[in-house]
């Protein structure tokens, strides 16, 4: 049997079992990967399957290295036995409880299963109690603090659930789904070490539950913790590693994993979206835009991850495309956090920051832990000069995800606006620690070092150098390096960076005051160094301009000709930048 056919069989079984246990998010994820497996051309032809889009030139463009349809590279595939069901006797009670569960009547579902002892029934009863506790916690938060406020509300079912699940685990009468729920409860109670151990046991026993992998990912905040996990080699592990690499800002490694997985799951929209997000983190906006356009053609009612697409359109100032995307998600599902963020981005691009905040707040009413909404709302408060509100929004973001560099960067900006550079510097350092490849963060930290209160120019130079090595698309770093070296009376270093900046401006065909400044300094510097031929090149270029720089260039040329002719020196007007 081929590896593809094995994956299909495993996923079909997993979809049924996950759905039967009301783990609908994991079931949906598995179904998307099942449909994403490249189809057998002997059975499926372009006339009878939607997968003919696989020949898309756009899709091939970003599927690198012509990956063959084999299991992910580096994986010694280990098959996992399919679980046997145990509900032959009490199936009718289970069906009634599942019906109540599907209607969100969680306590009724748990009550129906109170005397059932099968593993399947025990899981659904405990899961129903857990969700009943979560539902009541949400209600208390709204009643006590409002939808966006902090609250001390807790899930009151956690204590009894932990006690029962721990006993089942100790007696070895718990299945992988019960282990997943036990890990979830332990995580909520703050026992992260044991939660990781239990979740690892769950995914090793039953690797197709993506929800368990997601919870395990949330407990791996460092590479060391990740490397300490004792995970079995299964193709689901590759999905986990690709996802957690992205979370840990290992974007190139994540991208490589997803591109390998595409060899088998050729038509997975999920993988396409994750590749787009990885490229977005690497600031490859042109490629990201093409991938998302292709994704929307194939899945026109998709809302997941479209907020990332809206961020790209916002950065590129694509008004019409962002307006079309906002209209599209409104018609699909207006009250989704992603939809609200897209609409918020649209109003922000139009400069209507108050309206933008309304939609970000709406996103947070729908999901108080929606990270992007907190960060983007902080950006809007910065634009509105409401720094206390911005600081609060950013702090809520880092409470949810301490690795979110955008929130740390926002805190740095807010404190810089308040004239507190020491605090700002602390937060800028945090941001570059989590995203060291973003030139904007290094530039922000350098400008903080340059502030009047700190005036640490040598440290600013180090930051600008890092920015210049991180593809500084805004062309700030080289010019600032030249100016700082000039200010520190280091003409050779200043000339080096002026020349590099000049070369870049010429390559990009840019004009402006920076170009004139570079020509003026280099002409004067090389004349002082008696390198008259090089100085004359820059002076000649300055003659193409009108204004004082033209006259200065003429004066420099006269002085150099007199010096070269051997006549006694005479007073010549020198340019002092």
């Amino acid at each position: 049997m081929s590896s593809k056919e094995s994956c299909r069989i495993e996923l079909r079984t997993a979809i049924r079992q996950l759905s039967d246990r009301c783990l609908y998010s994991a079931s949906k994820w598995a179904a998307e990967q099942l449909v994403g497996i490249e189809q057998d051309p002997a059975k499926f032809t372009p006339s009878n399957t939607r997968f003919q889009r696989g020949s898309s030139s756009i899709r091939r463009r970003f599927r690198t290295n012509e990956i063959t349809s084999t299991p992910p590279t580096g994986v010694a595939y280990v098959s996992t036995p399919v679980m046997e069901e145990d509900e032959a006797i009490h199936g009718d009670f289970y069906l009634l409880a599942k019906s109540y569960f599907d209607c969100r009547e969680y306590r009724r579902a748990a009550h129906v299963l109170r005397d059932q002892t099968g593993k399947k029934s025990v899981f659904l009863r405990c899961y129903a109690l857990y969700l009943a506790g979560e539902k009541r916690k949400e209600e208390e938060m709204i009643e006590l603090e409002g939808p966006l406020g902090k609250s001390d509300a807790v899930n009151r079912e956690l204590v009894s659930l932990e006690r029962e699940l721990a006993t089942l685990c100790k007696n070895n009468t718990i299945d992988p789904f019960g282990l997943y729920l036990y890990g979830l409860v332990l995580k909520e109670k703050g026992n992260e070490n044991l939660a990781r151990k239990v979740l690892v046991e769950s995914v090793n026993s039953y690797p197709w539950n993506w929800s368990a992998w997601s919870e395990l990912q949330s407990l791996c905040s460092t590479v060391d913790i990740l490397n300490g996990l004792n995970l079995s080699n299964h193709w689901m592990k590759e999905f986990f590693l690709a996802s957690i690499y992205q979370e840990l800002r290992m974007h190139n490694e994540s991208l490589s994993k997803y591109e390998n997985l595409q060899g088998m799951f050729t038509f997975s929209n999920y993988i396409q979206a994750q590749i787009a997000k990885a490229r977005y983190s690497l600031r490859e906006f042109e490629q990201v835009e093409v991938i998302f356009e292709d994704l929307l053609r194939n899945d026109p009612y998709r809302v997941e991850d479209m907020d990332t697409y809206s961020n790209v359109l916002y950065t590129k100032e694509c008004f019409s495309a962002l307006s079309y995307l906002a209209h599209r998600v409104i018609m699909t599902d207006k009250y989704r956090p992603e939809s609200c963020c897209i609409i918020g981005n649209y109003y922000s691009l139009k400069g209507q920051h108050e309206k933008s905040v309304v939609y970000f707040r709406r996103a947070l009413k729908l999901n108080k832990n929606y990270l992007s909404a907190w960060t983007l709302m902080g950006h809007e408060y910065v634009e509105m000069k409401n720094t206390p509100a911005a600081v609060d929004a950013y702090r809520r973001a880092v409470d949810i995800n301490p690795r979110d560099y955008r929130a740390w960067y926002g805190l740095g900006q807010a404190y810089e606006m308040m004239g507190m550079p020491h605090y700002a510097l602390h937060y800028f350092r945090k941001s570059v620690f989590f995203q060291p490849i973003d030139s904007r963060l290094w530039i922000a930290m350098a400008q903080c070092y340059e502030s009047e209160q700190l005036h640490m120019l040598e440290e600013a130079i180090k930051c600008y150098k890092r920015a210049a090595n991180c593809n500084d698309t805004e062309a700030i770093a080289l010019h600032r390096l030249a100016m700082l070296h000039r200010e520190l009376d280091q003409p050779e270093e200043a000339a080096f960076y002026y020349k590099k900046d000049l070369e870049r401006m010429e390559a990009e065909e840019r004009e402006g005051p920076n170009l004139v400044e570079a020509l003026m300094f280099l002409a004067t510097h090389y004349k002082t160094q008696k390198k008259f031929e090089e100085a004359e090149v820059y002076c000649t270029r300055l003659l193409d301009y009108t204004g004082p720089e033209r006259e200065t260039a003429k004066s420099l040329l006269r002085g150099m000709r007199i010096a070269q002719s051997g006549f006694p020196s005479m007073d010549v007007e020198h340019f002092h930048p």
Side-chain angles (χ1 to χ4, degrees):
M1 186 183 297
S2 70
S3 57
K4 285 183 186 178
E5 193 57 35
S6 296
C7 283
R8 288 194 191 100
I9 292 170
E10 290 174 9
L11 283 169
R12 288 187 188 117
T13 304
I15 291 162
R16 177 175 57 80
Q17 292 177 334
L18 290 164
S19 180
D20 206 27
R21 287 166 177 79
C22 304
L23 295 171
Y24 298 122
S25 178
S27 176
K28 183 183 85 167
W29 186 92
E32 287 178 347
Q33 307 325 308
L34 172 64
V35 173
I37 296 176
E38 186 175 13
Q39 304 298 310
D40 184 354
K43 297 180 181 178
F44 296 88
T45 63
S47 62
N48 64 10
T49 175
R50 74 185 188 92
F51 294 118
Q52 72 185 88
R53 74 174 188 262
S55 61
S56 163
S57 60
I58 294 176
R59 198 167 265 250
R60 282 203 306 270
R61 177 181 169 190
F62 295 113
R63 199 169 290 136
T64 60
N65 299 330
E66 295 295 323
I67 304 163
T68 56
S69 299
T70 59
T73 53
V75 178
Y77 178 74
V78 176
S79 62
T80 303
V82 177
M83 290 174 46
E84 294 183 1
E85 303 295 354
D86 63 350
E87 297 300 326
I89 299 175
H90 303 295
D92 294 343
F93 286 102
Y94 189 86
L95 288 174
L96 176 60
K98 187 176 182 302
S99 298
Y100 286 147
F101 188 102
D102 291 344
C103 294
R104 294 172 59 86
E105 298 182 46
Y106 301 126
R107 295 197 182 278
R108 289 186 80 186
H111 180 73
V112 167
L113 297 172
R114 65 192 182 281
D115 296 325
Q116 306 301 312
T117 57
K119 293 178 182 178
K120 190 173 170 184
S121 292
V122 169
F123 167 77
L124 188 61
R125 176 174 56 77
C126 291
Y127 190 38
L129 286 173
Y130 172 79
L131 290 181
E134 286 294 295
K135 185 179 178 183
R136 182 56 193 145
K137 183 178 78 171
E138 293 288 335
E139 292 167 352
E140 287 181 4
M141 289 178 67
I142 294 172
E143 291 164 1
L144 299 175
E145 294 290 342
L148 303 184
K150 291 185 177 181
S151 171
D152 294 329
V154 295
N155 185 335
R156 299 178 188 276
E157 303 294 334
L158 293 180
V159 175
S160 61
L161 284 173
E162 182 185 16
R163 186 166 51 245
E164 179 176 356
L165 292 168
T167 302
L168 292 173
C169 192
K170 183 179 179 181
N171 296 335
N172 200 25
T173 56
I174 192 169
D175 67 359
F177 296 102
L179 288 170
Y180 156 65
L181 183 57
Y182 186 29
L184 187 58
V185 169
L186 289 169
K187 176 194 162 188
E188 291 288 322
K189 295 208 68 180
N191 192 347
E192 294 189 357
N193 290 330
L194 184 55
R196 273 192 292 270
K197 182 180 176 182
V198 169
L199 288 168
V200 165
E201 187 178 348
S202 174
V203 297
N204 283 343
S205 303
Y206 189 86
W208 305 282
N209 182 3
W210 183 244
S211 294
W213 289 106
S214 298
E215 294 299 333
L216 181 59
Q217 176 178 312
S218 69
L219 292 168
C220 298
S221 56
T222 67
V223 176
D224 290 338
I225 293 175
L226 173 63
N227 292 337
L229 300 180
N230 185 23
L231 296 170
S232 299
N233 279 334
H234 186 277
W235 55 264
M236 282 292 291
K237 178 184 174 182
E238 297 298 291
F239 277 100
F240 169 70
L241 291 175
S243 180
I244 198 167
Y245 284 159
Q246 195 159 300
E247 185 70 19
L248 294 173
R249 304 291 167 189
M250 300 165 64
H251 303 302
N252 287 311
E253 293 85 346
S254 174
L255 190 59
S256 176
K257 285 283 184 187
Y258 280 124
E259 287 175 341
N260 283 336
L261 283 164
Q262 248 186 349
M264 180 178 293
F265 300 90
T266 312
F267 302 101
S268 169
N269 289 331
Y270 167 81
I271 292 177
Q272 278 291 94
Q274 299 310 307
I275 287 174
K277 288 166 72 175
R279 292 192 180 280
Y280 171 75
S281 299
L282 293 169
R283 303 187 61 76
E284 298 174 2
F285 294 148
E286 294 295 333
Q287 297 185 13
V288 173
E289 187 175 6
V290 174
I291 294 172
F292 272 120
E293 286 172 357
D294 188 40
L295 194 57
L296 277 177
R297 277 193 294 271
N298 301 325
D299 190 1
Y301 300 104
R302 184 184 184 90
V303 177
E304 295 99 325
D305 309 308
M306 287 299 119
D307 51 337
T308 301
Y309 182 32
S310 76
N311 292 341
V312 173
L313 297 176
Y314 179 92
T315 303
K316 296 182 67 179
E317 297 185 0
C318 300
F319 284 91
S320 58
L322 186 52
S323 173
Y324 176 71
L325 180 63
H327 179 74
R328 194 168 188 162
V329 296
I330 286 173
M331 299 304 293
T332 301
D333 194 344
K334 183 176 181 180
Y335 294 104
R336 280 276 291 271
E338 297 94 333
S339 301
C340 294
C341 275
I342 291 167
I343 300 167
N345 271 340
Y346 169 69
Y347 281 118
S348 178
L349 191 58
K350 290 182 68 176
Q352 299 180 21
H353 302 298
E354 291 83 0
K355 262 192 173 181
S356 181
V357 166
V358 168
Y359 279 94
F360 291 135
R361 290 178 69 86
R362 183 176 293 176
L364 292 166
K365 287 180 182 178
L366 296 166
N367 180 1
K368 70 179 185 302
N369 291 323
Y370 193 53
L371 182 64
S372 292
W374 284 115
T375 306
L376 293 171
M377 189 164 69
H379 295 344
E380 294 308 299
Y381 281 129
V382 167
E383 292 291 335
M384 295 162 64
K385 303 294 188 290
N386 187 348
T387 47
V391 167
D392 183 59
Y394 289 135
R395 289 196 182 281
R396 294 296 297 272
V398 296
D399 285 345
I400 296 167
N401 183 0
R403 299 184 297 277
D404 181 24
Y405 77 93
R406 297 170 303 170
W408 291 116
Y409 173 67
L411 282 168
Q413 277 189 313
Y415 278 102
E416 196 171 35
M417 287 174 60
M418 291 189 285
M420 304 168 72
H422 287 91
Y423 285 93
L425 190 60
H426 168 75
Y427 295 119
F428 286 140
R429 283 174 177 159
K430 284 271 194 181
S431 69
V432 298
F433 176 78
F434 291 115
Q435 184 74 346
I437 63 171
D438 195 327
S439 61
R440 298 169 304 166
L441 309 184
W442 289 107
I443 288 170
M445 191 156 71
Q447 290 171 342
C448 193
Y449 276 122
E450 282 189 84
S451 65
E452 188 177 339
Q453 295 100 315
L454 299 180
H455 201 67
M456 300 168 67
L457 302 188
E458 293 289 349
E459 296 299 322
I461 286 172
K462 291 177 185 177
C463 293
Y464 281 126
K465 285 180 179 177
R466 291 293 298 265
N469 292 329
C470 293
N471 189 23
D472 174 25
T473 55
E474 297 175 356
I476 295 172
L478 290 175
H479 182 248
R480 290 304 306 162
L481 281 166
M483 292 192 69
L484 286 174
H485 281 296
R486 192 168 116 193
E487 186 176 339
L488 293 170
D489 196 23
Q490 298 169 346
E492 290 296 331
E493 290 84 350
F496 172 79
Y497 286 109
Y498 270 126
K499 281 187 75 172
K500 289 192 73 171
D501 195 27
L502 188 61
E503 289 167 4
R504 176 168 183 159
M505 286 186 281
E506 289 169 347
E508 296 175 359
E509 298 182 348
R510 286 194 289 116
E511 295 284 341
N514 286 1
L515 188 139
V516 174
E517 181 184 322
L519 291 172
M520 292 279 273
F521 179 86
L522 291 168
T524 307
H525 173 71
Y526 285 119
K527 176 183 177 295
T528 305
Q529 298 291 315
K530 300 191 183 305
K531 296 179 180 179
F532 297 129
E533 289 185 8
E534 295 182 36
E536 189 172 340
V537 170
Y538 297 113
C539 286
T540 304
R541 289 185 62 179
L542 283 167
L543 294 176
D544 295 334
Y545 294 89
T546 58
E549 58 270 11
R550 178 186 176 93
E551 297 305 316
T552 303
K554 287 181 179 180
S555 175
L556 289 170
L557 284 169
R558 282 197 301 270
M560 285 188 288
R561 284 166 189 158
I562 291 169
Q564 287 175 299
S565 67
F567 286 104
S569 62
M570 55 188 296
D571 289 336
V572 179
E573 180 184 354
H574 290 279
F575 170 66
H576 296 285

